[in-house]
Amino acid sequence: MERSGSQLPVGPADLLSGSPIAPLGEPAVATPVESPCVSTCRIDPATAICTGCGRTLEEIACWSTGTSHWRAEVMTALAGRLADLKPRAGR
C-alpha cells in the first residue's frame, strides 16, 4: 500500500517499529480516547480505508493503544482521505 502525505504507519511492519504503540511500562492512554468512528463501518476495496471514519484497518485496530501523538497525526489526515473517497462513491 502506498503512503500519501505524511508518513503514517499503514501496515504490520510499521506497527512493529513501535510508531503508534506506547512503549512497554508506559500507559498507552492517560485520558479517554477520542475516536473518529461514526459507526458507519465499510472498507473501500480500492483503498482499504473505512468510508465512515477514513482510517485504515491497522489504524482502527491500534487506536485504543496508540499514543496521543500518533492518534493526532491520524486525525489530521482523515479529512483529506475522506475527501479523496467521495469521488469514488459516485462510481
Side-chain angles (χ1 to χ4, degrees):
M1 183 180 300
E2 290 185 29
R3 296 178 189 210
S4 61
S6 66
Q7 295 295 308
L8 297 176
V10 294
D14 294 315
L15 300 178
L16 293 174
S17 71
S19 192
I21 306 299
L24 289 177
E26 292 184 24
V29 181
T31 58
V33 179
E34 176 186 2
S35 174
C37 182
V38 294
S39 298
T40 308
C41 306
R42 185 179 153 270
I43 303 300
D44 178 73
T47 63
I49 293 174
C50 175
T51 60
C53 69
R55 294 179 292 171
T56 65
L57 288 173
E58 291 84 4
E59 290 166 346
I60 293 167
C62 293
W63 197 258
S64 64
T65 58
T67 63
S68 296
H69 176 76
W70 175 78
R71 286 192 315 269
E73 286 181 347
V74 173
M75 292 287 281
T76 299
L78 298 181
R81 290 182 192 172
L82 289 171
D84 289 345
L85 287 176
K86 296 245 187 251
R88 293 180 178 276
R91 290 182 184 177

